[in-house]
Amino acid sequence: MAASPPKELLKFLKPYDRAVRELALSVREFVLAELAPCCENIYDAYSAVAIGYGPTDRLKDGICHIAVYSKHVNLGFNSGTELDDPLRLLKGTGKRIRHITIKTPADLSHPEIRELLRRAREHAGLGTRDPAQKKKVISVVKAIYPKKRRPN
């Protein structure tokens, strides 16, 4: 694994079924393999645990995010409408954000998903990641919402 999950993230994921917890951590590892070094911003939000990734801890610099729901995990792209997506994997109707729903670890085997992460990184102006570069991850808990509409 590129970086061990922070204890706060593990705590936030605890209410989810084991399969969803493991899926979320698999998606996290998948994202970090393409984006690290990076900042990881963790939100224990109202309807999902959300994890944002970017070069800084500022929301506006975000490249992509993971949203953990009770039955699946979404891999979201903050500028998804601007990414080349010839296979039309990206879903959504918002002005900028698009996502891919991940239901099993096997869904991550689609090479186009990794390519979308690379395109998102380049689109953010970070260029191609140097494989020799240290895979440092700075994890920050950004917000904990007191009310939840998800597993308790």
Side-chain angles (χ1 to χ4, degrees), residues 60-98:
K60 73 177 196 166
D61 293 337
I63 295 171
C64 71
H65 59 275
I66 297 168
V68 184
Y69 297 101
S70 61
K71 304 280 186 211
H72 68 278
V73 174
N74 280 351
L75 173 58
F77 294 83
N78 296 20
S79 296
T81 58
E82 300 170 19
L83 296 177
D84 183 32
D85 180 23
L87 299 180
R88 299 185 185 265
L89 297 176
L90 297 173
K91 306 297 179 201
T93 58
K95 288 183 180 181
R96 294 190 67 217
I97 296 174
R98 293 292 181 267

